[in-house]
Amino acid sequence: MRRMTCRSLLQLACVLLLLVLNVSDVWAASGMPAITVQGTGQGQSYSLTLQVLILMTAITFLPAIVLMMTSFTRIVIVLTLLRQAIGAGTSPPNQVLIGLALFLTLFVMGPVIDRINTDAVQPYMAGTLEGTVALEKGVAPLKSFMLEQTRESDIATFVRIAGQQAYNTPEEVPLRILVPAFVTSELKTAFQIGFMIFIPFVIIDLVVASVLMSMGMMMLSPMMISLPFKIMLFVLVDGWTLVVSTLASSFYR
């Protein structure tokens, strides 16, 4: 599953890289200054601008940002636990789960992305904000989202590990402490939701196993008999809608 996640994110990074290369061609045609390397007695000019170089370097961190600083971690873990609870093997396949998790992540992170675009990207593209100021304004909505989802105990744990003093306000917590605390909280929340999902399916397995034992059919696998009942129950209660809506609403409690 981790291999499929990395493959999907790398494909997205390749698309962004192609877009960046197209932007670099436009900048080169408009006469933006290129990087000049001074040699012995002469200079060498390259068509790649410094801004594009920084952007291409930042794109390499895209998989880590999507995995560790958004709602993707909680969503993909819950969907994987749901598949294991049903016991349907590899159905739905990894590609479907990763795709659903990515699009659900875009849905959940929509307000955050809109704020980043309004507060940082558009003013920077218009030339009204400097790069450092735009970066600070762009990180602020993402940081606010992570703070809302992170438990104070997890932040306190990593503050203590880092040997830092307690911060007066949550906004003062740096990203190097907030990101691991956020991931830890997301893992805990995901497994809590997964536990609640497992309970009804475990009950069905226990009932089927008890019935088979009472009938003396001990050689028959209970999983083979209980699987159709679990699928039928999940379809009757509109399980996918319930799980997806519960996941989306869990980020706006």
Side-chain angles (χ1 to χ4, degrees), residues 83-192:
R83 183 175 64 179
Q84 293 179 356
I86 296 176
T90 58
S91 182
N94 290 332
Q95 294 90 334
V96 175
L97 291 184
I98 298 301
L100 177 59
L102 283 174
F103 280 101
L104 193 56
T105 299
L106 291 176
F107 173 78
V108 173
M109 301 297 296
V112 179
I113 296 174
D114 291 339
R115 284 186 56 192
I116 294 175
N117 182 59
T118 303
D119 298 342
V121 177
Q122 293 301 328
Y124 176 72
M125 297 298 293
T128 58
L129 281 181
E130 296 182 355
T132 55
V133 178
L135 181 61
E136 293 177 359
K137 289 184 175 294
V139 171
L142 190 59
K143 188 175 180 180
S144 177
F145 170 81
M146 289 190 292
L147 284 171
E148 292 177 357
Q149 309 301 325
T150 307
R151 296 174 176 82
E152 294 183 0
S153 58
D154 294 329
I155 296 178
T157 299
F158 283 95
V159 169
R160 184 178 66 254
I161 294 174
Q164 302 292 328
Q165 299 293 330
Y167 297 95
N168 297 325
T169 59
E171 289 73 17
E172 296 179 1
V173 179
L175 286 177
R176 67 185 183 89
I177 292 178
L178 178 58
V179 171
F182 169 74
V183 175
T184 303
S185 293
E186 287 294 281
L187 290 174
K188 183 176 181 180
T189 303
F191 277 92
Q192 287 177 345

